[in-house]
Amino acid sequence: MTRIKKQRKSVKVILMETAPKKKERLSDPDSYASRKQQAQKKRKKHLSVYEKARLEAEQQARNEASGRRGSQTFGPLADKIRKLNAKKKQQEARASKSAEAEESSDATKESSD
C-alpha cells in the first residue's frame, strides 16, 4: 500500500503579474537591484599577476631613468617634509654665510691691528 501525499488546495490563486520586471527594478535608482549592480561596477578590480609585474617593471625603469633609488613619494606628508628640508638648507646656508662674514671681518680687524 502506497501513501498518498497530502495536497494543499488553495482557495485563492495568487498571480504575480504585478511584480516589477528586472528592467523596471534596474531603472529605479533606489531599488536593491540597481544599487547592487552599481556597487559591483564600482568595486575595485584586482590586477592580474602579469599586469602587476608589468606595472612594477615600468615604475622601476622610470626610477632608474630619473636616478631615484626608491619609488617616488607624493602626497601632503611628502610635500611637508620637502618644505622642512628646504628651510633647513636655507638656515644652514645663512649660518655658513654669517660665519664666513664673521671670519672675514675678524681677518680684516687683525690685519688692521
Side-chain angles (χ1 to χ4, degrees):
M1 191 166 132
T2 61
R3 294 186 179 191
I4 298 172
K5 194 172 189 181
K6 285 186 180 179
Q7 294 180 356
R8 295 187 181 190
K9 296 180 181 177
S10 61
V11 177
K12 297 179 183 177
V13 178
I14 300 171
L15 297 175
M16 298 297 286
E17 292 181 50
T18 58
K21 300 193 186 269
K22 188 169 185 177
K23 283 185 179 181
E24 294 172 353
R25 284 183 281 150
L26 290 174
S27 65
D28 181 24
D30 295 332
S31 69
Y32 174 78
S34 65
R35 285 185 283 124
K36 183 178 177 183
Q37 190 179 46
Q38 288 173 359
Q40 285 177 341
K41 286 180 184 177
K42 288 180 183 178
R43 191 169 50 196
K44 183 179 178 182
K45 309 283 188 297
H46 294 287
L47 297 174
S48 65
V49 175
Y50 168 76
E51 193 68 21
K52 284 181 185 176
R54 188 182 64 78
L55 291 173
E56 190 174 309
E58 286 179 3
Q59 181 69 30
Q60 190 174 11
R62 273 189 265 136
N63 289 342
E64 289 173 1
S66 66
R68 288 176 167 259
R69 283 189 287 169
S71 63
Q72 293 181 342
T73 54
F74 298 107
L77 183 60
D79 293 337
K80 184 178 180 180
I81 292 170
R82 283 191 198 101
K83 287 178 184 177
L84 290 173
N85 288 340
K87 284 182 183 178
K88 284 181 183 178
K89 284 182 182 179
Q90 288 176 352
Q91 289 175 353
E92 289 175 2
R94 289 178 191 159
S96 64
K97 284 181 183 179
S98 64
E100 290 175 7
E102 289 177 12
E103 289 177 6
S104 63
S105 65
D106 290 340
T108 55
K109 286 182 184 177
E110 290 176 4
S111 63
S112 63
D113 286 337

